[in-house]
Amino acid sequence: MIDAHVHVWDLTRRRLPWLAPDHPLRRNFTLSGVTDSEVVLVQADADPAEVDDLLALAQENAAVVGVVGWFDLLDFPDRLPDDPLLVGVRSPPVDQTDPDLLTAPAHVRGVRAAADAGLAIDLLLRPSALIGAARLASAVPDARLVLDHLGNPTAATAEWRSGMQALAECPNVTVKLSGNAHLATDDLRTLVDVALELFGSERLLFGSDWPVCTLAATRAEVIRRTTALLPPATHNDVFRGTAQRIYRSRETAP
């Protein structure tokens, strides 16, 4: 299995302002908590220095098959670390609910530059912004866009469904089944069923969102529940094949 959404952090090196001083996750998390699969490490800090830390960790751990690091898409760097394990970028918009921010000229230029550098682009958004992600996908058809956490829905609302439908019409978009450990099983089943119908298993991939998932469930529980919600015929794609295709080594030099 490839777990395509894992975070690690060392609070002696990272400030992580999104974690309040009394937050239960405000402690160090290392790869020792994820030992049963290959993983893609995903940014947790809006700091390009974190990318170097994650790549160094990846060089020391064969289980890390890729790093999705933070670079400012509004001012994308001319040079990137020369490391094939850098496979993606995630730079969430300031307002994850605003669809227009995704197609602002500077953001489109940054996404195009990241795509030209051979990187996948993870999108961390809320349902109201999904229509903007679909417009972005159409504007940069060569970009490999990955929607994290199913678009962060609380339920299969009409807004979420319409946004997912628009994204499904863009062949360069895949969807990550991640970040939903807090949802009731019946609600998550509906979301997964809609995503599978719209995208097919070849455009879905699994991520545990560890350690954030532990606020609601253990990583093992997340894996078991997701496995149970998916038809066995989809497992090869969702738990490995799609991640291999999307988070592949860069094909063009930075």
Side-chain angles (χ1 to χ4, degrees):
M1 184 181 79
I2 295 176
D3 184 340
H5 204 96
V6 167
H7 303 289
V8 294
W9 55 72
D10 179 349
L11 294 178
T12 67
R13 298 180 63 82
R14 306 261 68 81
R15 295 180 61 187
L16 299 184
W18 58 275
L19 287 176
D22 60 347
H23 197 285
L25 294 180
R26 192 156 190 84
R27 56 190 179 89
N28 293 344
F29 287 93
T30 70
L31 279 173
S32 63
V34 186
T35 59
D36 59 348
S37 68
E38 294 179 321
V39 302
V40 175
L41 297 179
V42 178
Q43 67 89 212
D45 198 8
D47 181 356
E50 184 196 37
V51 180
D52 295 329
D53 289 351
L54 296 179
L55 289 173
L57 185 62
Q59 290 293 341
E60 299 169 358
N61 292 270
V64 179
V65 296
V67 167
V68 176
W70 185 89
F71 296 99
D72 187 355
L73 286 174
L74 300 181
D75 187 20
F76 198 72
D78 293 330
R79 296 184 62 83
L80 295 171
D82 185 17
D83 191 324
L85 289 174
L86 179 63
V87 296
V89 57
R90 186 169 80 157
S91 179
V94 174
D95 184 349
Q96 296 173 20
T97 67
D98 186 349
D100 294 332
L101 290 180
L102 295 164
T103 51
H107 189 259
V108 172
R109 284 195 299 271
V111 169
R112 185 172 289 118
D116 288 345
L119 298 174
I121 298 96
D122 271 42
L123 299 175
L124 183 62
L125 304 171
R126 305 294 167 177
S128 58
L130 299 185
I131 190 65
R135 295 172 186 147
L136 173 65
S138 296
V140 193
D142 293 334
R144 284 171 282 141
L145 302 181
V146 183
L147 178 66
D148 289 352
H149 308 339
L150 278 168
N152 286 293
T154 56
T157 63
E159 179 181 57
W160 177 79
R161 287 175 182 265
S162 62
M164 294 294 278
Q165 177 67 58
L167 286 169
E169 294 171 4
C170 304
N172 55 329
V173 175
T174 56
V175 174
K176 198 177 290 187
L177 305 182
S178 59
N180 306 117
H182 60 290
L183 296 176
T185 297
D186 287 345
D187 291 336
L188 183 56
R189 178 180 291 106
T190 300
L191 296 170
V192 169
D193 286 348
V194 171
L196 187 58
E197 179 182 356
L198 289 174
F199 291 87
S201 63
E202 69 278 3
R203 293 171 63 190
L204 299 179
L205 63 162
F206 169 77
S208 67
D209 196 26
W210 185 87
V212 180
C213 70
T214 62
L215 295 172
T218 68
R219 180 171 174 272
E221 288 169 342
V222 171
I223 293 171
R224 282 197 299 268
R225 184 164 69 149
T226 307
T227 301
L229 291 175
L230 289 165
T234 69
H235 289 181
N236 285 341
D237 284 337
V238 175
F239 289 103
R240 189 166 184 87
T242 304
Q244 287 180 314
R245 292 193 302 273
I246 296 302
Y247 292 130
R248 59 181 184 264
S249 296
R250 280 174 284 165
E251 296 174 348
T252 56

